[in-house]
Amino acid sequence: MTELKIYLDKDIDKELIKSKKIAVIGFGSQGYGQSMNLKDSGCDVVLGLRQGGASDKKAKNYGFKTMTIEDAVKWADIIQVLIPDEVQQEVYEKQIKPYMHSGQYLMFAHGFNIHFKKIVPAEDINVIMVAPKGPGHTVRSQYTEGKGVPCLVAVYQNPSADGKEVALSYASAIGAGRAGIIETTFREETETDLFGEQTVICGGVSALMKAGFEVLTEAGYSPYMAYFEVLHEMKLIIDLVNQGGLADMRYSISNTAEYGDMTRGPKVIGEASKNAMREILKDIQSGKFADEFTKEMQTGHKYFDKLREENRNHPIEKVGEEIRSSFVWGRKENIINREKN
Ligand code: NAD
Ligand code: MG
Ligand code: MG
């Protein structure tokens, strides 16, 4: 294995970011998480948002100053682009690029548009990345608990020669220096991020849970039982894996579960699944996935909406809603509160 440098707060100039004016564009998942943490870390942060829109109201509710995207871009030293990947190209062309000046830092939380050349900034612009490896709401919840979500940083264009230092200082301000920051490239971040979310952490896991649920209910077992066995318990198990790897999980589960795990797991995810993953990786590397997704979103996203609707109506979701509504701890302190963040 190549040696890996992990940056922590002690390795980072935490003051550097406080001397910069930061415009965060968007107040969605990452926009909310990052800007809240930047503010609490003492940074000068303004939100660039559609004035009067839903995000504008949410951000003002948390005490943020907001501006139009155009004004925020003119004002800022650093522009962190936290709007959905599929709208970044158009917003960049119309509302960011015309208002930029030499020496600014254009920042992303995912390399998609830069790596696949949907956005091509001028040579005198610094292009850097701070990509949290976790959902935006969790970037916030971990920070308030004194922890942090690990981050990747990368430098694509570096005319000011301090892109890496600025990225590290920003990452530290959102809490990542408490967990660990790793340097990578736009290409590596983009391709591995897409691969991970498609095959394992989002796509793989949701397909695995749905398949398990379907097999149990088809065989006549109660959907409530199936929900607990293949979905609810996932988090409890994953918390152990997250803390101490597969070993900690296996330390805690029964010998029965551990034997079943090691003998049956590879039958579910074996060579056929790995071959499917290899195909998926090829489509990511060639840009085929990026083009397909961009085209779908730019031509009315009908197929995307249809898939969303089908997934929303899956029995595992209906049963889950019912079960979760009776948990005694209620919903007051949920990490996601759609009205507010
Ligand atoms: P999101 O979907 O939550 O962003 C919503 C925000 O974008 C809202 O403020 C909305 O008003 C604004 N917005 C949407 N369309 C707009 C438009 N046309 N013009 C102006 N504003 C518009 O986005 P997100 O999931 O936080 O993702 C932001 C970036 O962070 C992406 O590059 C994504 O890949 C990356 N990222 C996200 C996560 C995550 O947890 N969601 C994790 C790592 C990296
Ligand atoms: Mg990711
Ligand atoms: Mg992603």
PDB file of all heavy atoms in Angstrom, residues 121-158:
ATOM      1  N   PRO A 121     -12.915  26.479 -16.074  1.00  0.00           N
ATOM      2  CA  PRO A 121     -12.600  27.832 -15.583  1.00  0.00           C
ATOM      3  C   PRO A 121     -11.360  28.423 -16.261  1.00  0.00           C
ATOM      4  O   PRO A 121     -10.506  27.690 -16.763  1.00  0.00           O
ATOM      5  CB  PRO A 121     -12.338  27.626 -14.091  1.00  0.00           C
ATOM      6  CG  PRO A 121     -12.850  26.260 -13.767  1.00  0.00           C
ATOM      7  CD  PRO A 121     -12.715  25.472 -15.033  1.00  0.00           C
ATOM      8  N   ALA A 122     -11.280  29.761 -16.249  1.00  0.00           N
ATOM      9  CA  ALA A 122     -10.120  30.458 -16.809  1.00  0.00           C
ATOM     10  C   ALA A 122      -8.858  30.080 -16.043  1.00  0.00           C
ATOM     11  O   ALA A 122      -8.910  29.667 -14.898  1.00  0.00           O
ATOM     12  CB  ALA A 122     -10.344  31.966 -16.736  1.00  0.00           C
ATOM     13  N   GLU A 123      -7.713  30.260 -16.711  1.00  0.00           N
ATOM     14  CA  GLU A 123      -6.436  29.823 -16.122  1.00  0.00           C
ATOM     15  C   GLU A 123      -6.020  30.594 -14.873  1.00  0.00           C
ATOM     16  O   GLU A 123      -5.242  30.098 -14.064  1.00  0.00           O
ATOM     17  CB  GLU A 123      -5.312  29.966 -17.169  1.00  0.00           C
ATOM     18  CG  GLU A 123      -5.242  28.780 -18.101  1.00  0.00           C
ATOM     19  CD  GLU A 123      -4.251  29.012 -19.236  1.00  0.00           C
ATOM     20  OE1 GLU A 123      -3.359  29.875 -19.097  1.00  0.00           O
ATOM     21  OE2 GLU A 123      -4.382  28.323 -20.262  1.00  0.00           O
ATOM     22  N   ASP A 124      -6.531  31.825 -14.732  1.00  0.00           N
ATOM     23  CA  ASP A 124      -6.129  32.624 -13.565  1.00  0.00           C
ATOM     24  C   ASP A 124      -7.035  32.406 -12.354  1.00  0.00           C
ATOM     25  O   ASP A 124      -6.970  33.131 -11.373  1.00  0.00           O
ATOM     26  CB  ASP A 124      -6.083  34.117 -13.932  1.00  0.00           C
ATOM     27  CG  ASP A 124      -7.425  34.634 -14.411  1.00  0.00           C
ATOM     28  OD1 ASP A 124      -8.351  33.806 -14.635  1.00  0.00           O
ATOM     29  OD2 ASP A 124      -7.566  35.863 -14.558  1.00  0.00           O
ATOM     30  N   ILE A 125      -7.871  31.389 -12.437  1.00  0.00           N
ATOM     31  CA  ILE A 125      -8.750  31.029 -11.316  1.00  0.00           C
ATOM     32  C   ILE A 125      -8.204  29.770 -10.633  1.00  0.00           C
ATOM     33  O   ILE A 125      -7.850  28.800 -11.305  1.00  0.00           O
ATOM     34  CB  ILE A 125     -10.190  30.743 -11.837  1.00  0.00           C
ATOM     35  CG1 ILE A 125     -10.796  31.964 -12.536  1.00  0.00           C
ATOM     36  CG2 ILE A 125     -11.093  30.227 -10.717  1.00  0.00           C
ATOM     37  CD1 ILE A 125     -11.023  33.164 -11.660  1.00  0.00           C
ATOM     38  N   ASN A 126      -8.135  29.797  -9.300  1.00  0.00           N
ATOM     39  CA  ASN A 126      -7.764  28.592  -8.557  1.00  0.00           C
ATOM     40  C   ASN A 126      -8.963  27.651  -8.511  1.00  0.00           C
ATOM     41  O   ASN A 126     -10.077  28.083  -8.213  1.00  0.00           O
ATOM     42  CB  ASN A 126      -7.386  28.946  -7.117  1.00  0.00           C
ATOM     43  CG  ASN A 126      -6.214  29.906  -7.054  1.00  0.00           C
ATOM     44  OD1 ASN A 126      -5.070  29.522  -7.254  1.00  0.00           O
ATOM     45  ND2 ASN A 126      -6.503  31.189  -6.799  1.00  0.00           N
ATOM     46  N   VAL A 127      -8.724  26.386  -8.799  1.00  0.00           N
ATOM     47  CA  VAL A 127      -9.822  25.416  -8.751  1.00  0.00           C
ATOM     48  C   VAL A 127      -9.455  24.330  -7.749  1.00  0.00           C
ATOM     49  O   VAL A 127      -8.480  23.595  -7.945  1.00  0.00           O
ATOM     50  CB  VAL A 127     -10.102  24.801 -10.141  1.00  0.00           C
ATOM     51  CG1 VAL A 127     -11.260  23.810 -10.064  1.00  0.00           C
ATOM     52  CG2 VAL A 127     -10.412  25.898 -11.157  1.00  0.00           C
ATOM     53  N   ILE A 128     -10.219  24.272  -6.657  1.00  0.00           N
ATOM     54  CA  ILE A 128      -9.890  23.343  -5.575  1.00  0.00           C
ATOM     55  C   ILE A 128     -11.144  22.599  -5.115  1.00  0.00           C
ATOM     56  O   ILE A 128     -12.260  22.939  -5.503  1.00  0.00           O
ATOM     57  CB  ILE A 128      -9.218  24.073  -4.382  1.00  0.00           C
ATOM     58  CG1 ILE A 128     -10.138  25.161  -3.817  1.00  0.00           C
ATOM     59  CG2 ILE A 128      -7.897  24.675  -4.804  1.00  0.00           C
ATOM     60  CD1 ILE A 128      -9.526  25.941  -2.633  1.00  0.00           C
ATOM     61  N   MET A 129     -10.933  21.598  -4.306  1.00  0.00           N
ATOM     62  CA  MET A 129     -12.067  20.801  -3.826  1.00  0.00           C
ATOM     63  C   MET A 129     -11.932  20.496  -2.346  1.00  0.00           C
ATOM     64  O   MET A 129     -10.844  20.195  -1.855  1.00  0.00           O
ATOM     65  CB  MET A 129     -12.143  19.480  -4.613  1.00  0.00           C
ATOM     66  CG  MET A 129     -13.125  18.490  -4.019  1.00  0.00           C
ATOM     67  SD  MET A 129     -13.587  17.101  -5.074  1.00  0.00           S
ATOM     68  CE  MET A 129     -12.109  16.702  -5.904  1.00  0.00           C
ATOM     69  N   VAL A 130     -13.065  20.594  -1.655  1.00  0.00           N
ATOM     70  CA  VAL A 130     -13.188  20.053  -0.309  1.00  0.00           C
ATOM     71  C   VAL A 130     -14.441  19.190  -0.336  1.00  0.00           C
ATOM     72  O   VAL A 130     -15.552  19.707  -0.458  1.00  0.00           O
ATOM     73  CB  VAL A 130     -13.324  21.158   0.758  1.00  0.00           C
ATOM     74  CG1 VAL A 130     -13.615  20.533   2.124  1.00  0.00           C
ATOM     75  CG2 VAL A 130     -12.053  22.003   0.829  1.00  0.00           C
ATOM     76  N   ALA A 131     -14.261  17.895  -0.300  1.00  0.00           N
ATOM     77  CA  ALA A 131     -15.391  16.971  -0.468  1.00  0.00           C
ATOM     78  C   ALA A 131     -15.591  16.144   0.796  1.00  0.00           C
ATOM     79  O   ALA A 131     -14.835  15.203   1.053  1.00  0.00           O
ATOM     80  CB  ALA A 131     -15.133  16.051  -1.664  1.00  0.00           C
ATOM     81  N   PRO A 132     -16.592  16.496   1.586  1.00  0.00           N
ATOM     82  CA  PRO A 132     -16.879  15.690   2.779  1.00  0.00           C
ATOM     83  C   PRO A 132     -17.326  14.293   2.365  1.00  0.00           C
ATOM     84  O   PRO A 132     -18.087  14.145   1.415  1.00  0.00           O
ATOM     85  CB  PRO A 132     -18.042  16.431   3.453  1.00  0.00           C
ATOM     86  CG  PRO A 132     -18.010  17.816   2.880  1.00  0.00           C
ATOM     87  CD  PRO A 132     -17.503  17.640   1.481  1.00  0.00           C
ATOM     88  N   LYS A 133     -16.868  13.302   3.081  1.00  0.00           N
ATOM     89  CA  LYS A 133     -17.286  11.920   2.794  1.00  0.00           C
ATOM     90  C   LYS A 133     -18.448  11.550   3.707  1.00  0.00           C
ATOM     91  O   LYS A 133     -18.394  10.602   4.480  1.00  0.00           O
ATOM     92  CB  LYS A 133     -16.099  10.968   2.977  1.00  0.00           C
ATOM     93  CG  LYS A 133     -15.005  11.166   1.930  1.00  0.00           C
ATOM     94  CD  LYS A 133     -15.419  10.701   0.545  1.00  0.00           C
ATOM     95  CE  LYS A 133     -15.842  11.795  -0.395  1.00  0.00           C
ATOM     96  NZ  LYS A 133     -16.269  11.318  -1.719  1.00  0.00           N
ATOM     97  N   GLY A 134     -19.525  12.302   3.572  1.00  0.00           N
ATOM     98  CA  GLY A 134     -20.744  12.034   4.327  1.00  0.00           C
ATOM     99  C   GLY A 134     -21.801  13.037   3.931  1.00  0.00           C
ATOM    100  O   GLY A 134     -21.482  14.076   3.340  1.00  0.00           O
ATOM    101  N   PRO A 135     -23.076  12.753   4.231  1.00  0.00           N
ATOM    102  CA  PRO A 135     -24.153  13.682   3.881  1.00  0.00           C
ATOM    103  C   PRO A 135     -23.987  15.031   4.583  1.00  0.00           C
ATOM    104  O   PRO A 135     -23.424  15.115   5.675  1.00  0.00           O
ATOM    105  CB  PRO A 135     -25.412  12.969   4.390  1.00  0.00           C
ATOM    106  CG  PRO A 135     -25.039  11.541   4.534  1.00  0.00           C
ATOM    107  CD  PRO A 135     -23.577  11.527   4.877  1.00  0.00           C
ATOM    108  N   GLY A 136     -24.500  16.084   3.949  1.00  0.00           N
ATOM    109  CA  GLY A 136     -24.363  17.433   4.489  1.00  0.00           C
ATOM    110  C   GLY A 136     -24.967  17.590   5.878  1.00  0.00           C
ATOM    111  O   GLY A 136     -24.389  18.259   6.737  1.00  0.00           O
ATOM    112  N   HIS A 137     -26.113  16.981   6.098  1.00  0.00           N
ATOM    113  CA  HIS A 137     -26.730  17.101   7.419  1.00  0.00           C
ATOM    114  C   HIS A 137     -25.863  16.447   8.493  1.00  0.00           C
ATOM    115  O   HIS A 137     -25.848  16.883   9.645  1.00  0.00           O
ATOM    116  CB  HIS A 137     -28.147  16.500   7.409  1.00  0.00           C
ATOM    117  CG  HIS A 137     -29.095  17.260   6.531  1.00  0.00           C
ATOM    118  ND1 HIS A 137     -29.272  16.940   5.200  1.00  0.00           N
ATOM    119  CD2 HIS A 137     -29.868  18.338   6.771  1.00  0.00           C
ATOM    120  CE1 HIS A 137     -30.137  17.791   4.670  1.00  0.00           C
ATOM    121  NE2 HIS A 137     -30.516  18.654   5.593  1.00  0.00           N
ATOM    122  N   THR A 138     -25.125  15.427   8.098  1.00  0.00           N
ATOM    123  CA  THR A 138     -24.227  14.752   9.035  1.00  0.00           C
ATOM    124  C   THR A 138     -22.960  15.576   9.252  1.00  0.00           C
ATOM    125  O   THR A 138     -22.393  15.580  10.358  1.00  0.00           O
ATOM    126  CB  THR A 138     -23.885  13.336   8.512  1.00  0.00           C
ATOM    127  OG1 THR A 138     -25.103  12.703   8.139  1.00  0.00           O
ATOM    128  CG2 THR A 138     -23.175  12.515   9.552  1.00  0.00           C
ATOM    129  N   VAL A 139     -22.522  16.317   8.225  1.00  0.00           N
ATOM    130  CA  VAL A 139     -21.400  17.254   8.381  1.00  0.00           C
ATOM    131  C   VAL A 139     -21.736  18.214   9.526  1.00  0.00           C
ATOM    132  O   VAL A 139     -20.895  18.540  10.368  1.00  0.00           O
ATOM    133  CB  VAL A 139     -21.149  18.031   7.074  1.00  0.00           C
ATOM    134  CG1 VAL A 139     -20.179  19.188   7.285  1.00  0.00           C
ATOM    135  CG2 VAL A 139     -20.631  17.088   5.977  1.00  0.00           C
ATOM    136  N   ARG A 140     -23.000  18.605   9.601  1.00  0.00           N
ATOM    137  CA  ARG A 140     -23.436  19.500  10.669  1.00  0.00           C
ATOM    138  C   ARG A 140     -23.576  18.766  12.012  1.00  0.00           C
ATOM    139  O   ARG A 140     -23.070  19.221  13.033  1.00  0.00           O
ATOM    140  CB  ARG A 140     -24.781  20.147  10.284  1.00  0.00           C
ATOM    141  CG  ARG A 140     -25.351  21.084  11.338  1.00  0.00           C
ATOM    142  CD  ARG A 140     -24.368  22.210  11.643  1.00  0.00           C
ATOM    143  NE  ARG A 140     -24.832  23.084  12.708  1.00  0.00           N
ATOM    144  CZ  ARG A 140     -24.056  23.956  13.339  1.00  0.00           C
ATOM    145  NH1 ARG A 140     -22.778  24.081  13.026  1.00  0.00           N
ATOM    146  NH2 ARG A 140     -24.540  24.725  14.287  1.00  0.00           N
ATOM    147  N   SER A 141     -24.281  17.652  12.003  1.00  0.00           N
ATOM    148  CA  SER A 141     -24.573  16.985  13.288  1.00  0.00           C
ATOM    149  C   SER A 141     -23.288  16.491  13.959  1.00  0.00           C
ATOM    150  O   SER A 141     -23.138  16.588  15.171  1.00  0.00           O
ATOM    151  CB  SER A 141     -25.587  15.853  13.107  1.00  0.00           C
ATOM    152  OG  SER A 141     -25.075  14.830  12.289  1.00  0.00           O
ATOM    153  N   GLN A 142     -22.321  16.017  13.174  1.00  0.00           N
ATOM    154  CA  GLN A 142     -21.059  15.557  13.747  1.00  0.00           C
ATOM    155  C   GLN A 142     -20.293  16.736  14.354  1.00  0.00           C
ATOM    156  O   GLN A 142     -19.718  16.634  15.428  1.00  0.00           O
ATOM    157  CB  GLN A 142     -20.178  14.893  12.672  1.00  0.00           C
ATOM    158  CG  GLN A 142     -20.704  13.578  12.175  1.00  0.00           C
ATOM    159  CD  GLN A 142     -20.412  12.429  13.131  1.00  0.00           C
ATOM    160  OE1 GLN A 142     -21.233  12.076  13.961  1.00  0.00           O
ATOM    161  NE2 GLN A 142     -19.243  11.836  13.024  1.00  0.00           N
ATOM    162  N   TYR A 143     -20.300  17.859  13.641  1.00  0.00           N
ATOM    163  CA  TYR A 143     -19.579  19.050  14.110  1.00  0.00           C
ATOM    164  C   TYR A 143     -20.119  19.503  15.466  1.00  0.00           C
ATOM    165  O   TYR A 143     -19.367  19.819  16.379  1.00  0.00           O
ATOM    166  CB  TYR A 143     -19.729  20.163  13.069  1.00  0.00           C
ATOM    167  CG  TYR A 143     -19.047  21.462  13.413  1.00  0.00           C
ATOM    168  CD1 TYR A 143     -17.742  21.719  12.988  1.00  0.00           C
ATOM    169  CD2 TYR A 143     -19.707  22.447  14.148  1.00  0.00           C
ATOM    170  CE1 TYR A 143     -17.116  22.918  13.293  1.00  0.00           C
ATOM    171  CE2 TYR A 143     -19.097  23.652  14.457  1.00  0.00           C
ATOM    172  CZ  TYR A 143     -17.800  23.880  14.028  1.00  0.00           C
ATOM    173  OH  TYR A 143     -17.186  25.071  14.330  1.00  0.00           O
ATOM    174  N   THR A 144     -21.454  19.523  15.599  1.00  0.00           N
ATOM    175  CA  THR A 144     -22.034  19.999  16.860  1.00  0.00           C
ATOM    176  C   THR A 144     -21.762  19.026  18.000  1.00  0.00           C
ATOM    177  O   THR A 144     -21.827  19.404  19.158  1.00  0.00           O
ATOM    178  CB  THR A 144     -23.560  20.230  16.730  1.00  0.00           C
ATOM    179  OG1 THR A 144     -24.172  19.000  16.323  1.00  0.00           O
ATOM    180  CG2 THR A 144     -23.887  21.302  15.715  1.00  0.00           C
ATOM    181  N   GLU A 145     -21.424  17.786  17.663  1.00  0.00           N
ATOM    182  CA  GLU A 145     -21.061  16.809  18.702  1.00  0.00           C
ATOM    183  C   GLU A 145     -19.555  16.828  18.993  1.00  0.00           C
ATOM    184  O   GLU A 145     -19.054  15.957  19.702  1.00  0.00           O
ATOM    185  CB  GLU A 145     -21.439  15.385  18.247  1.00  0.00           C
ATOM    186  CG  GLU A 145     -22.931  15.115  18.246  1.00  0.00           C
ATOM    187  CD  GLU A 145     -23.251  13.743  17.644  1.00  0.00           C
ATOM    188  OE1 GLU A 145     -22.414  12.820  17.774  1.00  0.00           O
ATOM    189  OE2 GLU A 145     -24.319  13.614  17.034  1.00  0.00           O
ATOM    190  N   GLY A 146     -18.846  17.777  18.387  1.00  0.00           N
ATOM    191  CA  GLY A 146     -17.399  17.851  18.608  1.00  0.00           C
ATOM    192  C   GLY A 146     -16.609  16.897  17.729  1.00  0.00           C
ATOM    193  O   GLY A 146     -15.409  16.708  17.920  1.00  0.00           O
ATOM    194  N   LYS A 147     -17.303  16.256  16.785  1.00  0.00           N
ATOM    195  CA  LYS A 147     -16.625  15.338  15.869  1.00  0.00           C
ATOM    196  C   LYS A 147     -16.557  15.974  14.478  1.00  0.00           C
ATOM    197  O   LYS A 147     -16.786  17.170  14.333  1.00  0.00           O
ATOM    198  CB  LYS A 147     -17.395  14.019  15.787  1.00  0.00           C
ATOM    199  CG  LYS A 147     -17.628  13.338  17.117  1.00  0.00           C
ATOM    200  CD  LYS A 147     -18.470  12.082  16.908  1.00  0.00           C
ATOM    201  CE  LYS A 147     -19.005  11.530  18.219  1.00  0.00           C
ATOM    202  NZ  LYS A 147     -20.141  10.620  17.978  1.00  0.00           N
ATOM    203  N   GLY A 148     -16.266  15.174  13.469  1.00  0.00           N
ATOM    204  CA  GLY A 148     -16.225  15.706  12.112  1.00  0.00           C
ATOM    205  C   GLY A 148     -16.384  14.602  11.101  1.00  0.00           C
ATOM    206  O   GLY A 148     -16.143  13.429  11.404  1.00  0.00           O
ATOM    207  N   VAL A 149     -16.795  14.972   9.895  1.00  0.00           N
ATOM    208  CA  VAL A 149     -16.878  14.010   8.795  1.00  0.00           C
ATOM    209  C   VAL A 149     -15.553  14.096   8.026  1.00  0.00           C
ATOM    210  O   VAL A 149     -15.111  15.190   7.693  1.00  0.00           O
ATOM    211  CB  VAL A 149     -18.072  14.353   7.869  1.00  0.00           C
ATOM    212  CG1 VAL A 149     -18.013  13.578   6.570  1.00  0.00           C
ATOM    213  CG2 VAL A 149     -19.394  14.085   8.591  1.00  0.00           C
ATOM    214  N   PRO A 150     -14.899  12.983   7.743  1.00  0.00           N
ATOM    215  CA  PRO A 150     -13.641  13.028   6.982  1.00  0.00           C
ATOM    216  C   PRO A 150     -13.856  13.689   5.613  1.00  0.00           C
ATOM    217  O   PRO A 150     -14.936  13.602   5.046  1.00  0.00           O
ATOM    218  CB  PRO A 150     -13.269  11.546   6.800  1.00  0.00           C
ATOM    219  CG  PRO A 150     -14.067  10.800   7.811  1.00  0.00           C
ATOM    220  CD  PRO A 150     -15.291  11.596   8.078  1.00  0.00           C
ATOM    221  N   CYS A 151     -12.807  14.346   5.122  1.00  0.00           N
ATOM    222  CA  CYS A 151     -12.922  15.068   3.857  1.00  0.00           C
ATOM    223  C   CYS A 151     -11.776  14.709   2.917  1.00  0.00           C
ATOM    224  O   CYS A 151     -10.685  14.360   3.372  1.00  0.00           O
ATOM    225  CB  CYS A 151     -12.778  16.571   4.108  1.00  0.00           C
ATOM    226  SG  CYS A 151     -14.302  17.435   4.315  1.00  0.00           S
ATOM    227  N   LEU A 152     -12.027  14.864   1.640  1.00  0.00           N
ATOM    228  CA  LEU A 152     -10.965  14.820   0.646  1.00  0.00           C
ATOM    229  C   LEU A 152     -10.703  16.247   0.185  1.00  0.00           C
ATOM    230  O   LEU A 152     -11.627  17.045   0.074  1.00  0.00           O
ATOM    231  CB  LEU A 152     -11.401  13.987  -0.559  1.00  0.00           C
ATOM    232  CG  LEU A 152     -11.787  12.537  -0.272  1.00  0.00           C
ATOM    233  CD1 LEU A 152     -12.226  11.848  -1.550  1.00  0.00           C
ATOM    234  CD2 LEU A 152     -10.616  11.787   0.358  1.00  0.00           C
ATOM    235  N   VAL A 153      -9.429  16.555  -0.073  1.00  0.00           N
ATOM    236  CA  VAL A 153      -9.110  17.833  -0.706  1.00  0.00           C
ATOM    237  C   VAL A 153      -8.327  17.550  -1.991  1.00  0.00           C
ATOM    238  O   VAL A 153      -7.625  16.538  -2.094  1.00  0.00           O
ATOM    239  CB  VAL A 153      -8.275  18.774   0.207  1.00  0.00           C
ATOM    240  CG1 VAL A 153      -9.065  19.186   1.439  1.00  0.00           C
ATOM    241  CG2 VAL A 153      -6.961  18.132   0.613  1.00  0.00           C
ATOM    242  N   ALA A 154      -8.496  18.445  -2.963  1.00  0.00           N
ATOM    243  CA  ALA A 154      -7.766  18.290  -4.224  1.00  0.00           C
ATOM    244  C   ALA A 154      -7.554  19.655  -4.855  1.00  0.00           C
ATOM    245  O   ALA A 154      -8.319  20.593  -4.618  1.00  0.00           O
ATOM    246  CB  ALA A 154      -8.547  17.388  -5.184  1.00  0.00           C
ATOM    247  N   VAL A 155      -6.500  19.749  -5.633  1.00  0.00           N
ATOM    248  CA  VAL A 155      -6.174  20.990  -6.332  1.00  0.00           C
ATOM    249  C   VAL A 155      -6.114  20.684  -7.822  1.00  0.00           C
ATOM    250  O   VAL A 155      -5.391  19.769  -8.242  1.00  0.00           O
ATOM    251  CB  VAL A 155      -4.827  21.551  -5.839  1.00  0.00           C
ATOM    252  CG1 VAL A 155      -4.443  22.798  -6.624  1.00  0.00           C
ATOM    253  CG2 VAL A 155      -4.894  21.844  -4.348  1.00  0.00           C
ATOM    254  N   TYR A 156      -6.846  21.433  -8.617  1.00  0.00           N
ATOM    255  CA  TYR A 156      -6.908  21.195 -10.071  1.00  0.00           C
ATOM    256  C   TYR A 156      -6.127  22.255 -10.829  1.00  0.00           C
ATOM    257  O   TYR A 156      -5.412  21.970 -11.780  1.00  0.00           O
ATOM    258  CB  TYR A 156      -8.370  21.208 -10.494  1.00  0.00           C
ATOM    259  CG  TYR A 156      -8.635  20.783 -11.917  1.00  0.00           C
ATOM    260  CD1 TYR A 156      -8.693  19.435 -12.254  1.00  0.00           C
ATOM    261  CD2 TYR A 156      -8.863  21.731 -12.918  1.00  0.00           C
ATOM    262  CE1 TYR A 156      -8.957  19.038 -13.550  1.00  0.00           C
ATOM    263  CE2 TYR A 156      -9.126  21.337 -14.217  1.00  0.00           C
ATOM    264  CZ  TYR A 156      -9.175  19.993 -14.537  1.00  0.00           C
ATOM    265  OH  TYR A 156      -9.441  19.592 -15.813  1.00  0.00           O
ATOM    266  N   GLN A 157      -6.274  23.497 -10.377  1.00  0.00           N
ATOM    267  CA  GLN A 157      -5.547  24.649 -10.949  1.00  0.00           C
ATOM    268  C   GLN A 157      -5.099  25.496  -9.794  1.00  0.00           C
ATOM    269  O   GLN A 157      -5.876  25.771  -8.882  1.00  0.00           O
ATOM    270  CB  GLN A 157      -6.516  25.496 -11.786  1.00  0.00           C
ATOM    271  CG  GLN A 157      -6.546  25.131 -13.230  1.00  0.00           C
ATOM    272  CD  GLN A 157      -7.504  25.965 -14.050  1.00  0.00           C
ATOM    273  OE1 GLN A 157      -8.027  25.452 -14.994  1.00  0.00           O
ATOM    274  NE2 GLN A 157      -7.734  27.236 -13.715  1.00  0.00           N
ATOM    275  N   ASN A 158      -3.833  25.974  -9.865  1.00  0.00           N
ATOM    276  CA  ASN A 158      -3.248  26.569  -8.670  1.00  0.00           C
ATOM    277  C   ASN A 158      -2.459  27.851  -8.943  1.00  0.00           C
ATOM    278  O   ASN A 158      -1.313  27.976  -8.508  1.00  0.00           O
ATOM    279  CB  ASN A 158      -2.328  25.498  -8.032  1.00  0.00           C
ATOM    280  CG  ASN A 158      -2.033  25.746  -6.588  1.00  0.00           C
ATOM    281  OD1 ASN A 158      -2.726  26.507  -5.912  1.00  0.00           O
ATOM    282  ND2 ASN A 158      -0.967  25.122  -6.096  1.00  0.00           N
TER     283      ASN A 158
END
